Amino acid sequence: MANEPKMTEFLWGASTSAFQVEGAYLENGKGLSIADVRSLRAGNGVDTKLGANHYHQWREDIQLMKELGLKSYRFSINWTRIFPNGTELEPNEHGLAFYHELIDELLKNGIEPLVTIYHFDQPMGLIKAYGGWVSRKSIDDFFKYGKCLLKEFGHKVQYWLTINEQSVLAFSPDMLGVDTTQEKTKIYQQAYQANYHMWLAQAKVIALCHKMYPKAKIGPAVSYLTTLPATKSAEDMMAAKDLEDFYSFSQMQVALRGEIPKTYMKELIKAGVILETSPDDQEILKTGIANFLGINWYCTTIIKSITGEDTAKFILQRVERIKNHKLKYTDWGWNFDPVGLHYALRQIEDRFPGIPVAITECGWSQKEQIENGKIRDTDRIEYLQAHIHQMLLAKKEGVNVISFNPWSFLDVLSVGDGFEKRYGLIYVEGIGKSHGKMRRIKKDSFQFYKEMIAKNGSD
């Protein structure tokens, strides 16, 4: 197939998501998404109206990618640029044209697109019409959207990511449009019913992709919460395992084996959740098996059991997160624990031998200022260097890691944490505030990563 990469070539890349970088939130027919609404509700000047102005500066950004030496770029397509309200029978041609141009320019510059179909931006039209993902109707609307993307871009795109961080959505149901002022049992019921519908929708799109493009790679981008026990006690070890299995490995098992773990279903019962299912659902999951896995990995999470041997409560009511004071932490509470990535990758290989793995997010956030025209982000360089080293160790041991895409290529808006929380290799001056062109400034980490890519991680 045209533009198919050599599978032996490691895809050094970087990541963003549409709603966090594009801006232009209602331009050229784009509709309103739940991500837009949440950003506007925050009321702290953090919103998707301007973002990082990537919608207008994407050509400049791709030239910076080329200078960096990227082999891949992991980004998302905004659902509401394609189907503004989600209910349309025909896609928005302006939205299709934008992503065609973007993908074509990436390929022209030797950069492989890793395309995320859904990254937190379901159309508000679907949420208002029937509750969005909480309703089974969402499966058909997502399938229509996914089919449109495969038809339009499938001959150009070899790597597809279906749904980004499904567990995050279930744990933060306001991101699904769920009313979080309800009693907790009702919130859980809606959140995990939505999660179930996402599994089915994902499987249907995966099956279609396999049929249309047998050589393509497609799978989820899973938030991999690598959990470690706070002490050597069996209770803490069990609590850490239970959380990790429920939060991360259940998502992987459904996508890669078409099976919902029994332990997952038992946890839902403890939460008072009874899933509404249909007889054909098992067949849908079994026929939509992923052949590729994206993982978003940032840090380890230290877990302490707060119920001891009593496991009758829901997992979220049985555990407490503990800080390891021997580790460095960001201002937002995420630690620096690179060996944890090595451990995480080995766990994936143990459970799913040989599966191709793309690290679709991995990064260090910090507050930054321009000093004499420079951004000296030494902590980020240390983070990237240590995590790349551990990733390459896992790769040498047989883990099939095919791509590394740190979060993020350039600074992005963070709905919950404002513009101070910067992850980028490139500093964006005036992010979310400037109505004109936003200046891009290469950080020291840009140069570090450029040299790393040029050496293929050999040094």
Side-chain angles (χ1 to χ4, degrees), residues 71-106:
K71 310 300 181 187
S72 64
Y73 173 47
R74 185 258 173 149
F75 66 98
S76 69
I77 291 177
N78 196 316
W79 191 341
T80 57
R81 287 204 193 280
I82 309 303
F83 293 103
N85 296 299
T87 55
E88 293 84 0
L89 296 179
E90 298 297 329
N92 173 26
E93 292 298 329
H94 292 292
L96 293 177
F98 171 70
Y99 292 111
H100 271 299
E101 286 190 296
L102 179 68
I103 291 169
D104 288 347
E105 191 68 15
L106 288 169

Side-chain angles (χ1 to χ4, degrees), residues 147-261:
K147 183 178 181 179
C148 175
L149 298 193
L150 290 171
K151 180 182 176 182
E152 287 285 333
F153 310 115
H155 61 292
K156 304 176 182 180
V157 174
Q158 291 295 303
Y159 296 93
W160 291 94
L161 296 154
T162 49
I163 297 176
N164 181 74
E165 295 188 336
Q166 200 169 313
S167 295
V168 171
L169 293 167
F171 271 48
S172 304
D174 67 307
M175 299 172 74
L176 298 165
V178 171
D179 178 7
T180 55
T181 64
Q182 305 174 85
E183 62 181 56
K184 192 160 285 187
T185 302
K186 289 183 179 179
I187 295 172
Y188 286 155
Q189 177 65 46
Q190 292 179 1
Y192 288 104
Q193 189 67 53
N195 184 71
Y196 182 70
H197 293 153
M198 281 188 270
W199 278 338
L200 294 169
Q202 170 177 263
K204 291 186 72 172
V205 171
I206 288 173
L208 179 64
C209 183
H210 290 331
K211 182 179 179 180
M212 293 177 69
Y213 304 100
K215 293 183 179 180
K217 298 295 183 187
I218 185 168
V222 175
S223 174
Y224 189 173
L225 189 74
T226 301
T227 57
L228 305 175
T231 70
K232 297 177 182 178
S233 73
E235 290 83 6
D236 285 354
M237 293 179 72
M238 199 69 223
K241 175 176 171 54
D242 284 346
L243 179 59
E244 188 174 64
D245 284 352
F246 183 79
Y247 187 89
S248 298
F249 285 120
S250 63
Q251 300 290 345
M252 297 182 203
Q253 185 163 327
V254 171
L256 297 172
R257 293 185 180 150
E259 302 169 345
I260 302 175

Side-chain angles (χ1 to χ4, degrees), residues 379-399:
D379 285 349
R380 181 171 295 109
I381 291 172
E382 183 183 359
Y383 178 95
L384 289 172
Q385 186 173 41
H387 286 74
I388 289 170
H389 174 65
Q390 294 297 328
M391 174 195 70
L392 293 176
L393 286 177
K395 187 171 171 62
K396 288 178 181 178
E397 293 163 355
V399 183

Side-chain angles (χ1 to χ4, degrees), residues 10 14 70 77 126 130 133 151 185-186 204 209 228 233 237 239 249 337 349 352 359 387 402-403 409 431 434 451:
F10 190 80
L70 294 192
I77 291 177
L126 299 183
Y130 53 66
W133 285 114
K151 180 182 176 182
T185 302
K186 289 183 179 179
K204 291 186 72 172
C209 183
L228 305 175
S233 73
M237 293 179 72
F249 285 120
D337 197 5
E349 179 62 22
F352 311 103
I359 298 175
H387 286 74
I402 64 171
S403 183
F409 171 64
I431 182 170
S434 171
E451 294 172 3

Side-chain angles (χ1 to χ4, degrees), residues 235-301:
E235 290 83 6
D236 285 354
M237 293 179 72
M238 199 69 223
K241 175 176 171 54
D242 284 346
L243 179 59
E244 188 174 64
D245 284 352
F246 183 79
Y247 187 89
S248 298
F249 285 120
S250 63
Q251 300 290 345
M252 297 182 203
Q253 185 163 327
V254 171
L256 297 172
R257 293 185 180 150
E259 302 169 345
I260 302 175
K262 292 180 180 178
T263 53
Y264 179 91
M265 296 302 291
K266 289 180 179 179
E267 286 293 348
L268 292 189
I269 292 171
K270 294 174 186 178
V273 174
I274 306 297
L275 293 179
E276 296 177 9
T277 65
S278 293
D280 295 337
D281 289 352
Q282 288 300 312
E283 182 64 19
I284 292 172
L285 294 178
K286 280 291 186 183
T287 54
I289 302 294
N291 59 3
F292 164 63
L293 177 66
I295 64 164
N296 295 351
W297 199 97
Y298 289 87
C299 62
T300 54
T301 299

Side-chain angles (χ1 to χ4, degrees), residues 12-22 51-52 54 61 64-65 68 70 72-76 119 296-298 334 359-366 368 377 380-381 383-384 404-414 418-428 431 440-450 453:
W12 296 99
S15 288
T16 65
S17 83
F19 85 90
Q20 291 175 282
V21 296
E22 285 182 356
H54 177 67
D61 291 338
L64 286 166
M65 293 177 201
L68 184 55
L70 294 192
S72 64
Y73 173 47
R74 185 258 173 149
F75 66 98
S76 69
H119 196 129
N296 295 351
W297 199 97
Y298 289 87
W334 289 15
I359 298 175
T360 40
E361 291 181 25
C362 182
W364 182 261
S365 60
Q366 60 188 61
E368 294 169 337
D377 55 340
R380 181 171 295 109
I381 291 172
Y383 178 95
L384 289 172
F404 180 74
N405 302 271
W407 188 264
S408 51
F409 171 64
L410 70 170
D411 289 336
V412 301
L413 73 85
S414 173
F419 294 121
E420 289 185 325
K421 187 180 186 182
R422 293 180 182 263
Y423 277 100
L425 301 168
I426 296 170
Y427 187 93
V428 180
I431 182 170
R440 273 64 166 141
I441 303 171
K442 291 172 281 187
K443 302 179 187 180
D444 285 359
S445 60
F446 181 99
Q447 184 62 32
F448 163 80
Y449 193 46
K450 178 180 178 179
I453 294 172

